[in-house]
Amino acid sequence: ERNGSHFNYGAYHSLEAIYHEMDSIASDFPDLVSRVQIGCSFEHRPMYVLKFSTGGEQQRPAIWLNAGIHSREWVSQATAIWTARKIVSDYQKDPALSAILEKMDIFLLPVANPDGYVYTQTHNRMWRKTRSLNPGSLCVGTDPNRNWNASFAGQGTSANPCSEVYHGPHANSEVEVKSVVEFIQNHGNFKCFVDLHSYSQLLMYPYGYTVKKAPDAEELDEVARRAAKALASLSGTEYQVGPTCTTVYPASGSSIDWAYDNGIKYAFTFELRDTGHYGFLLPASQIVPTAEETWLGLRSIMAHVRDHLY
Amino acid sequence: REKFLGDQVFRINVRNGDEISKLSWLVNSDNFKLDVWRSPSTFGRPVDVLVPSVSLQPVRSFLASQGFEYSVTIEDLQALLDDEDEEMQHNEGQ
């Protein structure tokens, strides 16, 4: 366990335990980290982010790391909390990370869908969506990664509340999505948005809602390939790289498409490890190796952003 | 908590557009109550589907009749879930 903490980063945890560890990290490193509440979920659970900042002006250029938006993708939340501890452990030890934090702030949201996450642990391990109620339907929840205002209700979504890709009644109808959108818009100076999912070993960039090439597609492709190479350097885990629409399938209303269309150039989705045997049920023994290799990819992206601020 | 007794996860290879259409019909059909873990895409990636125990036979028959290649990646989903649970409880105890 890192630095004498009693939190086992190689295990899956309850929401309460994750939030407690976030608080511990902030308490252990008060000059670098603070835990910030950005809103509440549909079922009134707090939504906490960790803000990593070495100070400087009020709204420095910033990076948003999003995890756990689809609640059953547990290695995403687990990787995120590991990453939080990695950042504080390596600051002032890793020159690349220190250089990033000297110029930019990092915001990390380990559990973007708290209600869904709790539901996977109390009722249904396979739950993906939020837990918001749909008037007139027995089916619960909206796909929070189809609810962003980026070609909302377009291809790759469904108007059926019972569908796993139900887009919701309108863009940002999900308070979990709205909270992130409002925070980022109010901040006004985000340069990078990375969304962690599982599973498939993919590193994708906009767009999901159209086959049309994003204006920065060439640069994003270069950045992504470099990140995938860095990731693979640890254990040989190979990632496929490309725009969402042509790498997997059309998907409208996604977080990174919204981010990109709202001025956040460096927008990427990671689909984490797929061993071919477990799907979403990646064994806990795989958490740390997955997080370690993902970190190399993330750091590569963040270093590029640091050197290419706009 | 919901149990997944007897449920399995199939990884289905998709070779062309015709197979994508057929598989899309299968996964969208309400009859089999399939849970798609990795969706059909136009680009040749295998599709992962959670097949409830009651649908195993009809889904196998469909895949065989349509000439699909597939493998069972998770034979006993509940066993995996039980292992995961046990590990979490053990960690909590520690």
Side-chain angles (χ1 to χ4, degrees), chain A residues 175-224:
Chain A
V175 65
E176 296 83 359
V177 171
K178 188 164 184 274
S179 300
V180 175
V181 167
E182 285 180 351
F183 187 91
I184 289 177
Q185 283 179 333
N186 290 339
H187 184 283
N189 204 16
F190 277 87
K191 305 298 181 190
C192 176
F193 184 109
V194 179
D195 204 0
L196 300 185
H197 289 255
S198 83
Y199 60 97
S200 281
Q201 292 174 199
L202 302 168
L203 179 44
M204 298 178 288
Y205 50 87
Y207 287 113
Y209 69 73
T210 176
V211 293
K212 195 181 78 160
K213 252 173 109 169
D216 301 293
E218 265 182 48
E219 183 189 358
L220 294 179
D221 194 83
E222 260 177 55
V223 173

Side-chain angles (χ1 to χ4, degrees), chain A residues 6-309:
Chain A
H6 295 295
F7 187 88
N8 180 358
Y9 287 91
Y12 292 112
H13 292 275
S14 66
L15 181 70
E16 192 189 351
I18 292 174
Y19 281 177
H20 187 262
E21 182 61 9
M22 288 171 76
D23 194 42
S24 295
I25 291 172
S27 305
D28 290 349
F29 298 89
D31 293 335
L32 179 62
V33 194
S34 51
R35 192 181 74 167
V36 178
Q37 183 168 350
I38 66 165
C40 282
S41 68
F42 181 79
E43 291 175 347
H44 308 297
R45 295 183 174 88
M47 289 186 63
Y48 289 127
V49 300
L50 287 176
K51 176 185 177 182
F52 302 86
S53 179
T54 56
E57 77 260 25
Q58 194 66 310
Q59 311 293 47
R60 296 211 295 177
I63 294 163
W64 186 273
L65 303 179
N66 210 57
I69 200 170
H70 287 143
S71 41
R72 61 186 178 183
E73 297 167 10
W74 280 13
V75 74
S76 167
Q77 297 91 330
T79 293
I81 193 67
W82 182 97
T83 301
R85 187 57 84 167
K86 177 69 170 172
I87 292 172
V88 296
S89 301
D90 279 16
Y91 175 59
Q92 294 184 322
K93 294 186 184 115
D94 173 7
L97 174 66
S98 304
I100 291 163
L101 285 169
E102 288 311 310
K103 264 192 175 178
M104 309 184 69
D105 294 342
I106 299 172
F107 291 81
L108 173 65
L109 174 62
V111 190
N113 179 4
D115 297 346
Y117 188 61
V118 170
Y119 198 75
T120 60
Q121 298 193 342
T122 56
H123 288 80
N124 180 353
R125 175 65 176 85
M126 305 309 165
W127 191 259
R128 162 186 167 101
K129 299 190 289 184
T130 62
R131 292 294 302 164
S132 59
L133 300 176
N134 294 308
S137 174
L138 289 174
C139 293
V140 174
T142 287
D143 183 342
N145 208 31
R146 300 290 184 274
N147 189 242
W148 301 68
N149 192 12
S151 189
F152 177 77
Q155 264 199 300
T157 70
S158 172
N160 179 359
C162 299
S163 168
E164 292 284 64
V165 292
Y166 174 52
H167 48 58
H170 57 81
N172 302 334
S173 63
E174 303 313 283
V175 65
E176 296 83 359
V177 171
K178 188 164 184 274
S179 300
V180 175
V181 167
E182 285 180 351
F183 187 91
I184 289 177
Q185 283 179 333
N186 290 339
H187 184 283
N189 204 16
F190 277 87
K191 305 298 181 190
C192 176
F193 184 109
V194 179
D195 204 0
L196 300 185
H197 289 255
S198 83
Y199 60 97
S200 281
Q201 292 174 199
L202 302 168
L203 179 44
M204 298 178 288
Y205 50 87
Y207 287 113
Y209 69 73
T210 176
V211 293
K212 195 181 78 160
K213 252 173 109 169
D216 301 293
E218 265 182 48
E219 183 189 358
L220 294 179
D221 194 83
E222 260 177 55
V223 173
R225 286 190 194 281
R226 204 175 314 127
K229 194 172 171 194
L231 187 154
S233 68
L234 191 66
S235 311
T237 307
E238 286 183 13
Y239 269 52
Q240 203 183 325
V241 170
T244 306
C245 199
T246 51
T247 302
V248 287
Y249 39 71
S252 303
S254 75
S255 60
I256 68 163
D257 283 2
W258 171 84
Y260 186 77
D261 280 349
N262 282 270
I264 302 173
K265 178 159 64 153
Y266 299 105
F268 298 95
T269 296
F270 279 76
E271 290 274 1
L272 301 179
R273 261 197 196 185
D274 174 16
T275 63
H277 301 290
Y278 300 104
F280 299 118
L281 308 183
L282 199 67
S285 58
Q286 296 264 341
I287 293 171
V288 172
T290 301
E292 285 177 336
E293 68 189 12
T294 305
W295 170 247
L296 298 180
L298 284 173
R299 192 178 61 176
S300 169
I301 290 171
M302 294 194 292
H304 182 91
V305 178
R306 173 201 69 212
D307 295 337
H308 296 83
L309 288 176

Side-chain angles (χ1 to χ4, degrees), chain B residues 18-55:
Chain B
D18 184 45
E19 287 192 342
I20 290 169
S21 303
K22 288 176 186 168
L23 205 49
S24 297
W25 174 85
L26 178 73
V27 303
N28 290 326
S29 163
D30 278 339
N31 295 335
F32 303 118
K33 305 284 184 219
L34 304 181
D35 179 9
V36 179
W37 282 18
R38 287 215 306 196
S39 296
S41 77
T42 49
F43 307 100
R45 290 168 64 243
V47 172
D48 289 352
V49 178
L50 192 172
V51 183
S53 55
V54 296
S55 300

Side-chain angles (χ1 to χ4, degrees), chain B residues 4-5 76-85:
Chain B
F4 296 86
L5 297 164
D76 188 345
L77 185 58
Q78 189 58 47
L80 267 190
L81 289 169
D82 290 342
D83 286 345
E84 188 179 72
D85 245 351

